[in-house]
Amino acid sequence: LGIVREAKPVQMDDGYQGNPAVLDVTTGGQLVLGSEPSYQQKAPAFNFDGSLLMVTYSSIAADSDAPAIIIYDAGGTEVHRIGFEGTAWYGSPRWSPSANLIAMHRQDESAARYTVYSVDEARFIAESETPKVSEKIGGRWGGGDMWNTEWSRDGQRILYSFMWGD
């Protein structure tokens, strides 16, 4: 079970501050992922076959690493990192139920879009524009829960919802 150890909810930030970990529910043991506390949008999540873990990472230190999605193997070794350059960021990443694909909201200076990243190919393989933002809603800011991602059971479609539409 993916958990955030010593989690502290932080308003208007990336989610929970703490150490990502995996709790073995049969023994109560914990496998801590990474060495420093960080912000995570969600607790670590297993992929479709339980062989990989996704950690949504954003450093607590203002001058350190940019936001990333870090992929660990089941033993806790980092095997892949999806980096976001400059002011780019992501929200609501979700594993596919049938493959090593991650759907997410992604934004940078040029556009907001919904994307699918293939961990096996180490690249973004699909994207779509986000729906139009309503002209009736004023400016606001929030965390990674502003967008929601859900895959169809067969892993062929993605439901994308966000809080800024009509």
Side-chain angles (χ1 to χ4, degrees):
L1 179 66
I3 62 171
V4 180
R5 292 184 61 202
E6 301 174 12
K8 299 175 190 165
V10 181
Q11 183 180 7
M12 302 298 284
D13 254 321
D14 290 326
Y16 292 93
Q17 175 184 336
N19 290 91
V22 177
L23 171 66
D24 182 332
V25 295
T26 59
T27 66
Q30 295 181 16
L31 171 64
V32 178
L33 306 167
S35 59
E36 298 292 326
S38 61
Y39 292 115
Q40 289 113 65
Q41 290 180 18
K42 299 180 185 325
F46 284 97
N47 68 337
F48 73 103
D49 67 2
S51 64
L52 298 174
L53 285 146
M54 171 176 56
V55 172
T56 55
Y57 169 84
S58 183
S59 175
I60 293 170
D63 62 345
S64 82
D65 297 340
I69 295 174
I70 303 173
I71 308 299
Y72 292 90
D73 65 19
T77 300
E78 182 178 328
V79 295
H80 190 73
R81 183 178 289 246
I82 306 167
F84 298 86
E85 301 292 325
T87 60
W89 49 275
Y90 65 92
S92 191
R94 176 86 61 166
W95 281 113
S96 163
S98 60
N100 287 327
L101 303 174
I102 301 170
M104 71 187 83
H105 175 92
R106 184 169 59 126
Q107 186 157 344
D108 58 27
E109 298 86 11
S110 63
R113 56 198 159 293
Y114 219 71
T115 59
V116 176
Y117 186 89
S118 169
V119 174
D120 296 337
E121 296 179 38
R123 67 183 184 93
F124 288 97
I125 61 169
E127 71 178 35
S128 177
E129 292 182 12
T130 57
K132 185 177 183 241
V133 174
S134 173
E135 296 174 4
K136 301 173 190 172
I137 298 174
R140 60 180 77 184
W141 186 253
D145 60 348
M146 293 184 292
W147 309 274
N148 293 295
T149 306
E150 192 59 56
W151 287 85
S152 62
R153 286 186 182 192
D154 64 4
Q156 297 298 307
R157 293 177 179 80
I158 300 166
L159 171 66
Y160 169 75
S161 62
F162 77 131
M163 67 181 196
W164 293 340
D166 289 325

